[in-house]
Amino acid sequence: MVRIATAGGRIDYISRDELARECIARIGADVLDELVNRKVIAIECARLGITVTDAEVKQEVVRLCKETGMEPSQWYQILKARHNITPAQYHRNRIWPAMAMKKLVGASVVVTEQELKTAYDHHFGARVKVRLIVYDNIRRANEAWNALQKSPDDFERIAKRDSIEPNSRSLGGLIPPVRRHHEFPKLEAAAFKLKLGEISAIIQYGPPTQSRYGILKCEGHTKPEFAMKDVREYLVKMVTDQKSQTEMARHLLAIKGRTRVDNYLRNTTTGAVVRPTRQAGFNRPATAKKPSSGVRPAGGTVPRTAPATRR
């Protein structure tokens, strides 16, 4: 495959087999895992009579690119420049498996009215504008809270002096408005109870191993940005996409759980048909065939998703 000749007349070669071994040693495990997933999906599709055509794959790329205002040709150029992946590889390794999984999941994804309401409240509902002082020590939080009871107007000054959150500290404790279904429910509950100018009690939040003690000051409440009817279509698509991703991941695990995979590169066996007493390590069976010298392992690292959906 490659001939190397030195000025002194020495000649050496790099064969396809040597290149294949080097590629397998460097990226073989990751590429093989990806290939296993694609094969498992293909077997399940064949069992259920599900097909994904080339035309469907190309249409999906057009749809994804349209959502970001990008032409497919531009996206292909980015893939080539940043990840050294061709359109064919992108179609085969990313778009086809995703579309096949969507068909396998089928109508199992149902969006409820409560899920739409939750999404609406979080993204478009009323919010509370607040300032926040954060401590990692309850004693210091108590000292600050007692001081604020006597002088509420010192909130910004104390936030700049004490808060352990660097981003909001420089702004006098100002943080983005608190939404419904916040990542910290205790902060959310306290914020929505406050009236303009009020200061909360000390709120303990965060993981047990890294507790934080926060004090909020209400700067006002906002009204919903849009009516539900005006954003319903957007919310349905957003929630459906989110649930589909979760369901596809769950469904793939279920398919792999009932499919035996003997991985001789990783020296593992997975699947429900494996006996519980079987050891993970094993020897390659004598009947297994070695890869032929003409087989080239896939190369390159590719993005896990298509162009990000514009929000």
Side-chain angles (χ1 to χ4, degrees), residues 184-229:
F184 298 118
K186 291 182 178 179
L187 280 183
E188 174 196 333
F192 276 90
K193 289 179 181 178
L194 294 175
K195 296 179 181 179
L196 179 63
E198 283 188 335
I199 293 175
S200 73
I202 298 172
I203 309 153
Q204 182 178 358
Y205 68 98
T209 57
Q210 196 178 20
S211 287
R212 294 290 182 260
Y213 304 91
I215 304 173
L216 293 170
K217 181 179 181 182
C218 180
E219 300 274 306
H221 290 249
T222 69
K223 295 181 179 180
E225 298 180 63
F226 302 96
M228 168 69 91
K229 62 182 179 62

Side-chain angles (χ1 to χ4, degrees), residues 244-309:
S244 293
Q245 291 297 322
T246 301
E247 183 62 20
M248 285 190 292
R250 187 199 66 78
H251 200 69
L252 179 57
L253 286 176
I255 296 171
K256 293 177 71 174
R258 59 177 182 263
T259 306
R260 174 168 170 158
V261 177
D262 294 326
N263 188 326
Y264 301 116
L265 182 62
R266 289 189 181 274
N267 201 33
T268 58
T269 291
T270 59
V273 295
V274 181
R275 292 176 295 179
T277 56
R278 183 181 179 91
Q279 298 297 316
F282 53 85
N283 296 322
R284 183 188 299 273
T287 55
K289 295 181 179 180
K290 295 182 179 180
S292 65
S293 60
V295 177
R296 301 184 188 179
T301 302
V302 298
R304 291 289 174 189
T305 60
T309 302

Side-chain angles (χ1 to χ4, degrees), residues 1 11 27-28 42 47 62 68 83 102 111 114 119 123 132 141 148 155 157 168 180 190 199 222 229 277 281 292 298:
M1 184 173 181
I11 298 177
I27 60 173
R47 183 179 74 84
V62 171
T68 61
H83 307 285
K102 284 182 180 179
V111 176
Q114 182 57 50
H123 292 282
L132 171 67
L148 288 168
F155 197 96
R157 181 183 65 81
S168 61
R180 290 292 187 187
I199 293 175
T222 69
K229 62 182 179 62
T277 56
S292 65

